[in-house]
Amino acid sequence: MQTLDTFDWIAVGLYFLVLAGIAIWVIRKKQENTADYFLAGRNVGWFVVGASIFASNIGSEHVVGLAGAGAGNKLPMLIYEIQAWVVLILGWVFLPFYARSGVFTMPEFLEKRFDARSRWVLSVFSIIAYVLTKISVTIYAGGVVVSALLGIDFWTGALSTVILTGLYTVLGGMRAVVYTETLQAVMLVVGAAALTFIGLDEVGGWASMTETVTPEYLNMWRSASDPEFPWPSLLITSTIVGIWYWCTDQYIVQRALTARNIKEGRRGTIFGALLKLLPVFLFLIPGIIALTLKMRGELHWDSPDEAFPVLMSNLLPSGLRGLVAAGLLAALMSSLASVFNSCSTLFTVDIYKKLKPNTPEKKLVRTGQIATVIIVIIGIIWIPIMANISGVLYEYLQKVQSYIAPPITAVFLLGIFYKRINAQGAFITLMVGFIVGALRIVLELMKDSLDPEGFLFLLGDINFLTFAAWFFLFCVILITVVSLLTSLPAKEKIFNLTFQTISEEEKANNKNSYNWIDVAVSILIIILVAAVMLFFNGEQGFF
């Protein structure tokens, strides 16, 4: 691997100068209340909302992991990256309910729709899940990327990016996060697009690459009996995880809540969905290019997760290599900034403010800043633990998320689609769901010591996609049965918070918040998603 030269460092330096300029401009603005600090004053336009959604989603674990999936025969994982249609569900289905209720956080919405117990459970669980998945995985992947690109050791790379990102997140709050993310989204797209075009040229074009890896390799749809990625389970589970991640997770939804109104928020999600189509071409295909060059003996890497940085350092010319390096640093920093801010919002609004409801706004902002610092420290402590992760990073992340998503998706979906669902049903489903998810992780880790004929072995050994699909069905049945066997929800708990109870005034307001262009672009995105799904079908049938 080649390290960065003078022109590369100039490109990286320029990126950091612009980033610092944006951060200082935002930090100088007054942030006197929680709406300013956590939701950027609820005054952000659609372009920044969409770019922020995209940049938050695309972290270094995507850059490293998705290219690794392309290079390591994990192409079915691509389905998680063409979920632009699920991002549309956030704007068209969920966002009007969130905006109408005036909430800061997703647990806060659960309290309005159900009760305080559900809010507590989701708040605490979300913070733990962020530390175990998003923060730790992002820092680990970031350390790998930074050390590979800049020629420095893993610890120096990981620590410097964590501290730098933590600094502007603490001082600037959500406004610093969304505006720096807009720059980072542009950097990432330009840099990765350059690598894809140059890489395709290097391998002799798409046809030549397909010939080397074989068309079957480019088939994302494995047979229904495939032990790793059976297509029915893949389709169902990726949708369940997608709805949880894009429509109910604080990390993403908080960006849409910064919009100045529902119209701007929905347009932001449509723009974010359009950008979400890009990762397939920007990260997955470079992974396949890296594999092609390795098969031809022109490139070498040990682990699939090294495919992207190795390809980048060997293929790109001086200066452009620095630009892509800056884009990768941008991906790492935008993801970290998002999760730091989301964690501090959840802690401050859902835990601290709940325990001390009369706290002045300025003190809440200060509490949010302290919470961010603590989360940064916890993230650093987790680095050595994450350094032990093996295999394809992206698959690891999707596995963990497949055990987290089903109960939350069931509670939010049925909560807005079925007015009979009550607080008891939601609380029991969340509690049982989180216990079952944790049990699955434990059984998966210790299955080698279990009786191969026993039920516990079956629970730990069953394909993770198939497990998540059945787990979701279990959660849907559980929340429905418990709700029907207990009392009706109070009228104030369902008014304007379910589809069956929206007032005529709110229906009219919602209708006025979009036009034919919004509808047409949304339909175009769905057509493009279907086209990508059909394109990556190799030469094999479904069965």
Side-chain angles (χ1 to χ4, degrees), residues 485-503:
L485 291 176
T486 47
S487 58
L488 286 162
K491 283 190 177 177
E492 68 271 12
K493 289 292 179 188
I494 56 173
F495 181 64
N496 273 335
L497 294 178
T498 74
F499 274 104
Q500 295 123 308
T501 56
I502 302 173
S503 67

Side-chain angles (χ1 to χ4, degrees), residues 329-466:
L329 293 171
L332 165 64
M333 293 172 74
S334 64
S335 280
L336 276 180
S338 299
V339 75
F340 288 160
N341 189 260
S342 295
C343 273
S344 79
T345 306
L346 284 168
F347 176 79
T348 309
V349 176
D350 287 314
I351 296 174
Y352 189 84
K353 192 178 179 182
K354 197 83 180 139
L355 294 171
K356 298 188 175 181
N358 298 320
T359 308
E361 289 282 302
K362 277 194 172 182
K363 192 176 180 187
L364 285 175
V365 171
R366 179 67 57 206
T367 305
Q369 292 175 323
I370 295 166
T372 308
V373 171
I374 293 167
I375 289 155
V376 170
I377 293 166
I378 293 169
I380 292 168
I381 293 167
W382 262 99
I383 295 174
I385 298 162
M386 290 311 296
N388 294 323
I389 288 181
S390 60
V392 176
L393 188 66
Y394 193 70
E395 186 181 3
Y396 162 84
L397 192 62
Q398 299 309 341
K399 271 191 175 183
V400 175
Q401 291 180 343
S402 297
Y403 310 143
I404 293 170
I408 303 174
T409 302
V411 167
F412 273 88
L413 266 181
L414 270 74
I416 66 167
F417 276 102
Y418 187 20
K419 67 179 182 180
R420 184 62 181 82
I421 300 298
N422 63 16
Q424 194 67 14
F427 175 68
I428 287 175
T429 303
L430 288 174
M431 287 299 292
V432 171
F434 295 151
I435 291 166
V436 171
L439 179 67
R440 161 68 195 211
I441 292 171
V442 171
L443 291 174
E444 192 173 331
L445 291 170
M446 57 181 286
K447 68 181 179 185
D448 291 340
S449 61
L450 298 172
D451 173 18
E453 301 298 317
F455 175 72
L456 289 178
F457 179 83
L458 176 70
L459 200 61
D461 188 54
I462 186 174
N463 177 281
F464 80 98
L465 296 166
T466 305

Side-chain angles (χ1 to χ4, degrees), residues 194-311:
L195 182 59
T196 304
F197 284 119
I198 291 168
L200 279 172
D201 183 59
E202 183 72 20
V203 295
W206 186 268
S208 175
M209 181 180 77
T210 307
E211 198 178 312
T212 302
V213 297
T214 73
E216 290 78 17
Y217 188 87
L218 300 177
N219 182 18
M220 65 178 278
W221 302 106
R222 307 269 177 93
S223 73
S225 57
D226 185 82
E228 261 194 309
F229 301 108
W231 78 263
S233 300
L234 179 69
L235 193 60
I236 294 164
T237 298
S238 63
T239 303
I240 294 163
V241 172
I243 292 171
W244 161 72
Y245 180 85
W246 291 105
C247 304
T248 74
D249 194 21
Q250 183 68 24
Y251 180 70
I252 293 294
V253 177
Q254 193 169 338
R255 274 104 207 101
L257 295 178
T258 62
R260 60 178 66 102
N261 52 44
I262 291 183
K263 185 177 187 177
E264 294 291 313
R266 184 184 288 112
R267 283 193 176 161
T269 62
I270 293 169
F271 180 48
L274 207 54
L275 292 173
K276 184 62 189 155
L277 292 165
L278 296 174
V280 179
F281 307 102
L282 301 181
F283 309 123
L284 185 99
I285 290 172
I288 302 169
I289 291 167
L291 176 68
T292 306
L293 291 172
K294 185 181 183 182
M295 288 169 77
R296 292 177 184 175
E298 296 171 28
L299 200 67
H300 176 74
W301 36 264
D302 298 316
S303 157
D305 286 339
E306 294 173 10
F308 194 94
V310 170
L311 183 74

